Amino acid sequence: MSVMSPNYMGADSLRGSFSDTNSSEMAAFTSYALAFPKSFQCLVDTYDVMRSGVPNFCAVALALHELGYKAHGIRLDSGDLAYLSTEARKFFCLIEKAFGVPDFGKMIITASNDINEDTLDALNKQGHQVDAFGIGTHLVTCFAQPALGCVLKLVEINGQPRMKLSEDVTKVSIPCKKRCYRLYGREGYPLVDIMTGENELPPKEGERLLCRHPFSESKRAYVVPQKVEELYKCYWPGASGKEREPLPSLETSRQRCLKQLAGMRPDHMRGLNPTPYK
């Protein structure tokens, strides 16, 4: 079904807005809408909010409207929330005017991404168009005992590398399946953790190795490890027909964590101004 129906007046002015969108994102939004037509809400910052995410959302939302459904809205999880919410609201209002869809300009905009009271105060002072905030980490943790944020990202499918792109550089993922090693020095303390490609040769004890930071080109160091420990262990390869190895108990995992912490260099573990671990 085409959402650029000639029955809508003014739609021609928006045609260029839909020309550079990401096709795989559109496919994902469409599949989601087919599964949940009554609760269609999309995360729009996977690729580019205003060039892809918002236009793709609007295209699917308009198709749902033609079928008698009303989309819920969008979620922003990175970038300048004040600016992006304002630009998204402007786009929704243009869609409402161009396609004659009542209340499309009032589409709900939700924002998340480690939001706290300082973030809310700054957004209110700047001005924004966010209708709802998703507050998780700062609601259930305190400053003295912060949370470790871990997110799973797809890095390979059927042998083909996959990479997450984002306007926030810290959220850009490193493609391909990997292995991870901890290198130890002469005193027995860990020196650095490194990632390698799955098919690369592992580091060897006593051999000089160049370790480079994945994002900062100037951060690099040569290391001669006295001990090499592989950190990743595969319990299930994900292929059908292959058995899954039983996971260790929670107590076993806890004891391993405590042992690893006890083996760290003291200056890495001190409470005030700890030395960053590489």
Side-chain angles (χ1 to χ4, degrees), residues 33-206:
L34 290 171
F36 302 99
K38 295 181 180 180
S39 55
F40 182 63
Q41 183 179 31
C42 290
L43 179 66
V44 294
D45 61 0
T46 302
Y47 298 98
D48 186 290
V49 173
M50 294 311 302
R51 292 182 60 185
S52 182
V54 169
N56 276 340
F57 166 81
C58 290
V60 178
L62 288 171
L64 284 175
H65 174 74
E66 289 190 352
L67 296 171
Y69 297 102
K70 187 179 188 308
H72 278 206
I74 63 170
R75 180 165 71 94
L76 300 169
D77 192 49
S78 63
D80 187 331
L81 299 178
Y83 171 76
L84 292 173
S85 65
T86 301
E87 291 302 302
R89 180 70 67 202
K90 291 178 182 176
F91 198 89
F92 292 155
C93 290
L94 286 174
I95 292 290
E96 177 177 343
K97 182 178 180 181
F99 291 89
V101 180
D103 294 331
F104 200 98
K106 298 178 181 178
M107 198 69 70
I108 295 174
I109 300 175
T110 303
S112 52
N113 188 23
D114 288 334
I115 291 175
N116 56 31
E117 55 191 302
D118 292 330
T119 308
L120 295 174
D121 182 59
L123 286 169
N124 287 333
K125 289 177 179 177
Q126 292 177 67
H128 63 86
Q129 289 294 320
V130 178
D131 300 297
F133 293 96
I135 303 175
T137 304
H138 290 278
L139 182 66
V140 298
T141 62
C142 66
F143 185 80
Q145 294 175 312
L148 173 64
C150 297
V151 182
L152 295 175
K153 297 295 181 186
L154 183 70
V155 295
E156 188 173 295
I157 182 169
N158 297 328
Q160 296 296 315
R162 290 293 182 267
M163 180 180 184
K164 173 182 168 60
L165 300 177
S166 173
E167 294 173 342
D168 185 347
V169 176
T170 61
K171 292 191 174 185
V172 175
S173 64
I174 302 174
C176 300
K177 192 183 294 185
K178 308 168 194 71
R179 299 174 75 176
C180 188
Y181 301 91
R182 179 159 293 163
L183 309 184
Y184 292 79
R186 289 189 180 89
E187 297 179 350
Y189 291 121
L191 296 174
V192 62
D193 291 355
I194 65 164
M195 290 190 303
T196 69
E198 184 189 32
N199 298 319
E200 288 185 71
L201 292 175
K204 295 181 179 180
E205 296 178 6

Side-chain angles (χ1 to χ4, degrees), residues 2-15:
S2 171
V3 297
M4 293 298 182
S5 169
N7 295 327
Y8 293 118
M9 297 301 293
D12 287 342
S13 62
L14 284 164
R15 286 184 185 274

Side-chain angles (χ1 to χ4, degrees), residues 220-234:
R220 53 175 63 193
Y222 280 102
V223 176
V224 180
Q226 303 304 305
K227 174 186 170 185
V228 177
E229 177 188 8
E230 185 163 10
L231 299 180
Y232 282 172
K233 177 176 174 59
C234 181

